[in-house]
């Protein structure tokens, strides 16, 4: 059910949360709210005590059967057998406990190291903050690729779409609009002015006011319900439990047959009962749990040497059953350090920013300047305090190129003031901004080379636009192919003078002037080739 604040106006919610829309919260006020309301985290389960971990080792069905066998052995006077079985069970439990305890501690340390971050407005300045430190009243900035850090009311949005499948089950991204108004019975999936914690921004960008954090969010309520759900058993646990039941039934059947056969032949009932029980105890494979645990422990040790954390021993066997490996690319297979490696400038000039500093020269009307300046102007990436860069890795790489070439983003935006913007999205494959330079307006566009070059009528040769004829298009296409063969991600840059008045939106990206290609690479981690070969084997 939708909550009351979902339908509150932006101005009213800002007043209720005592937030300045231009400055955000002060650090002092945010600290007070954090101390009162707690961290912005989902509490999925309380911390498991060591005693609980140890006792849980005795819950396996086959282990319970062995404990029962120990009692029977003591009853029969087989003290040595009982002690042996008990020692095996205890060793098995100690090995399992040691592994799970170490894994729990390692996971806690890992969670602290991998805390996600969010761009937040605090005391009038944008800052990068750990998402768990967000409080109601904070103002956050979202863009494509970001995970929404808390339930929030939109203050501004531009072509915003959010994947809410983990919350609503809808497979298609939901379009958002900060001006939407709905009725109190509106379902979560139809709330257009709200973004929810843990959902994913797939398109556009936005500015939002945090209204609920942690377990007070919609996903927090789901997390609370999931605490009551028992974890699923691994394939090995299921098979061992089934084996234990089969063994018990088989032993009982054998005991019954031996008992009935002996009694029928005239042997005393008590003696035949003792013989049957002795056979049953002998048939129980008391070494099986220990052998399985030792084998799994060896697997865990091998995995730990490869920096893998195994929380429970049976998970090793489950991993061995895997037939498909799904791996994230950026930051996992690659170093997540996208950098510009090549610049191709018409008519056929190739530059290497990774090896030498780009010389822009005095002219601000040549192809090199437009191509480099696009990284600081046609972007949602931002430079804070001169050196800290935040945004999409591709846009950060372009912005870094501009900064390393001697262009200040702050100074450029003062000189070339942004008037309008069309954000990048996978369907359009491009981004555009309209900037004002004195009395004139220009559109600056970057995006997929095939899309951009189709929209270009001219190409900038030096400082003079000339026809983008067949020969010049062939040269650009050849340069694009060479960059692609070098495993580079390539973007094209273009612009268009719009005159003293801004035309309609559909004209911003037509009849463009092509200025160049930018080739970028996110280098793979050194250990990736060996890991891929090992996975194939």
């Amino acid at each position: 059910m939708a909550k009351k604040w979902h339908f509150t106006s932006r101005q009213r919610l800002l007043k209720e949360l005592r937030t300045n829309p231009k400055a955000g919260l002060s650090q002092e006020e945010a600290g007070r709210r954090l101390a009162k309301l707690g961290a912005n985290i989902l509490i999925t389960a309380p911390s498991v005590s060591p005693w609980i971990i140890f006792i849980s080792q005795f819950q396996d069905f086959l282990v319970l059967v062995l404990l029962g066998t120990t009692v029977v052995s003591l009853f029969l006077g087989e003290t040595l057998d009982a002690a042996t079985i008990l020692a095996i069970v205890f060793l098995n439990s100690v090995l399992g406990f040691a592994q799970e305890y170490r894994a729990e501690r390692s996971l806690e340390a890992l969670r602290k190291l991998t805390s996600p971050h969010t761009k937040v407005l605090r005391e009038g300045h944008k800052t990068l903050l750990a998402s768990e430190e967000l409080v109601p009243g904070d103002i956050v900035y979202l863009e494509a690729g970001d995970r929404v850090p808390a339930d929030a009311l939109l203050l501004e949005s531009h072509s915003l779409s959010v994947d809410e499948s983990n919350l609503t089950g809808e497979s298609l991204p939901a379009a958002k609009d900060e001006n939407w108004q709905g009725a109190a019975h509106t379902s979560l999936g139809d709330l257009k002015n709200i973004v929810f914690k843990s959902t994913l921004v797939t398109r556009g960008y936005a500015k939002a006011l945090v209204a609920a954090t942690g377990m007070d969010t919609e996903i927090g309520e789901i997390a609370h319900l999931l605490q009551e759900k028992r974890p699923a058993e691994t394939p090995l646990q299921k098979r061992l439990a089934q084996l234990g039941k089969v063994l018990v039934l088989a032993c009982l059947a054998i005991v019954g047959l031996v008992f009935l056969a002996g009694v029928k032949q005239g042997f005393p009932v008590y003696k035949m009962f003792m013989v049957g029980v002795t056979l049953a105890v002998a048939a129980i494979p008391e070494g099986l749990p220990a052998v399985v645990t030792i084998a799994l422990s060896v697997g865990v040790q091998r995995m730990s040497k490869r920096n893998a954390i195994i929380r429970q021993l049976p998970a090793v066997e489950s991993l061995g059953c895997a037939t498909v490996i799904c791996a994230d690319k950026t930051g996992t297979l690659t170093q997540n350090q996208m950098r510009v490696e090549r610049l191709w400038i018409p008519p056929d000039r190739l530059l290497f920013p990774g090896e030498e500093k780009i010389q822009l020269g005095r002219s601000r009307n040549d192809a090199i300047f437009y191509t480099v300046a696009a990284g600081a102007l046609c972007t949602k990436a931002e430079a804070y305090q001169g050196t800290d860069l935040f945004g999409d890795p591709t846009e950060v790489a372009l912005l870094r190129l501009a900064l390393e070439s001697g262009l200040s983003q702050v100074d450029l935006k003062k000189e070339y003031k942004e008037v309008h913007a069309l954000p990048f999205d996978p369907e359009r494959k491009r981004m555009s901004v309209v900037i004002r330079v004195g009395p004139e307006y220009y559109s600056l566009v970057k995006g997929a080379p095939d899309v951009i070059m189709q929209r270009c009528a001219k190409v900038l040769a030096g400082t003079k636009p000339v026809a983008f004829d067949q020969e010049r298009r062939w040269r650009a296409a050849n340069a694009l192919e060479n960059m692609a063969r070098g495993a580079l991600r390539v973007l094209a840059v273009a612009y268009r003078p719009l005159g003293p008045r801004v035309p309609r939106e559909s004209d911003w990206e037509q009849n463009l002037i092509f200025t160049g290609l930018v080739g970028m690479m996110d280098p793979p981690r050194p250990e990736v080739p060996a890991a891929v070969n090992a996975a194939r084997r």
Side-chain angles (χ1 to χ4, degrees), residues 274-518:
M274 296 300 292
V275 170
V277 171
T278 302
L279 288 174
V281 171
I284 298 295
E286 64 273 3
L288 179 61
V291 170
V292 171
T293 299
I294 292 171
L296 294 179
S297 296
V298 172
V300 168
Q301 294 303 317
R302 290 178 177 175
M303 295 295 291
S304 66
K305 291 178 181 179
R306 291 163 174 78
N307 301 317
I309 297 176
I310 305 297
R311 191 172 188 176
Q312 293 181 327
L313 287 174
V316 178
E317 187 267 347
S318 298
L319 188 60
C321 295
T323 57
V324 177
I325 300 175
C326 301
D328 176 56
K329 179 179 72 68
T330 303
T332 302
L333 298 180
T334 66
Q335 298 178 21
N336 197 22
Q337 296 178 355
M338 186 80 72
R339 293 192 65 88
V340 176
E341 298 289 334
R342 301 285 188 275
L343 279 182
W344 184 84
I345 304 298
D348 198 7
R349 183 181 178 188
L350 192 61
L351 303 175
F352 300 87
E355 301 173 10
E356 58 186 19
K357 183 176 179 179
I358 299 300
Q359 301 295 329
L360 296 179
R362 296 181 179 180
S363 175
R364 291 208 164 191
N365 294 312
D366 64 1
I368 297 179
F369 174 79
Y370 278 110
T371 304
V372 173
L377 294 172
C378 186
T379 183
K380 292 305 295 177
E382 295 185 69
Y384 298 124
Q385 299 178 351
T387 57
D388 294 333
L389 308 183
F390 302 109
D392 176 81
T394 300
E395 294 197 327
V396 166
L398 296 173
L399 177 55
R400 183 181 291 110
L401 172 66
L403 297 178
E404 292 176 350
S405 302
L407 296 178
S408 166
Q409 187 183 41
V410 175
D411 294 340
L412 279 176
K413 289 197 171 185
K414 287 180 180 178
E415 185 176 354
Y416 305 95
K417 295 182 179 179
E418 181 180 315
V419 180
H420 300 287
L422 291 175
F424 176 87
D425 71 74
E427 295 179 5
R428 287 171 17 88
K429 297 183 179 179
R430 60 189 182 276
M431 175 183 180
S432 303
V433 293
V434 175
I435 55 178
R436 187 178 67 193
V437 186
E440 300 289 322
Y441 293 92
Y442 294 80
S443 64
L444 190 57
V445 188
K446 76 172 193 301
D450 56 334
V451 174
I452 299 300
M453 287 194 287
Q454 285 179 2
R455 295 171 175 269
C456 291
K458 296 182 178 181
V459 58
L460 195 60
T463 59
K464 181 181 179 182
V466 296
F468 201 13
D469 57 21
Q470 185 175 358
E471 180 184 352
R472 294 186 176 93
R473 288 184 183 275
W474 179 86
R475 288 184 177 181
N478 186 58
L480 172 61
E481 184 178 355
N482 289 335
M483 285 186 176
R485 284 178 179 174
L488 299 180
R489 176 182 295 179
V490 186
L491 293 180
V493 178
Y495 78 100
R496 178 189 175 184
L498 300 177
R501 299 180 64 182
V502 180
R504 59 186 180 179
E505 188 177 291
S506 59
D507 292 336
W508 299 354
E509 300 171 342
Q510 300 294 336
N511 297 316
L512 298 172
I513 301 172
F514 179 68
T515 69
L517 299 172
V518 184

Side-chain angles (χ1 to χ4, degrees), residues 47-65:
S47 179
V48 182
S49 71
W51 283 109
I52 297 296
I53 296 176
F54 183 72
I55 293 173
S56 66
Q57 307 303 315
F58 296 92
Q59 295 178 354
D60 183 78
F61 183 78
L62 196 53
V63 171
L64 293 176
V65 171

Side-chain angles (χ1 to χ4, degrees), residues 9-26 33 120-126 137-141 153-156 206-210:
S9 68
R10 296 190 290 274
Q11 292 76 14
R12 183 174 179 180
L13 190 58
L14 284 165
K15 184 177 180 180
E16 290 178 356
L17 294 174
R18 305 189 305 279
T19 301
N20 184 333
K22 295 183 178 180
L25 296 176
S26 66
R33 296 186 185 188
V120 186
L121 182 64
R122 288 270 180 94
E123 297 184 343
H125 301 286
K126 289 183 182 179
D138 267 326
I139 294 177
V140 298
Y141 296 87
L153 180 71
L154 293 176
L155 300 178
E156 301 173 11
K207 179 180 178 182
L209 175 63
V210 174

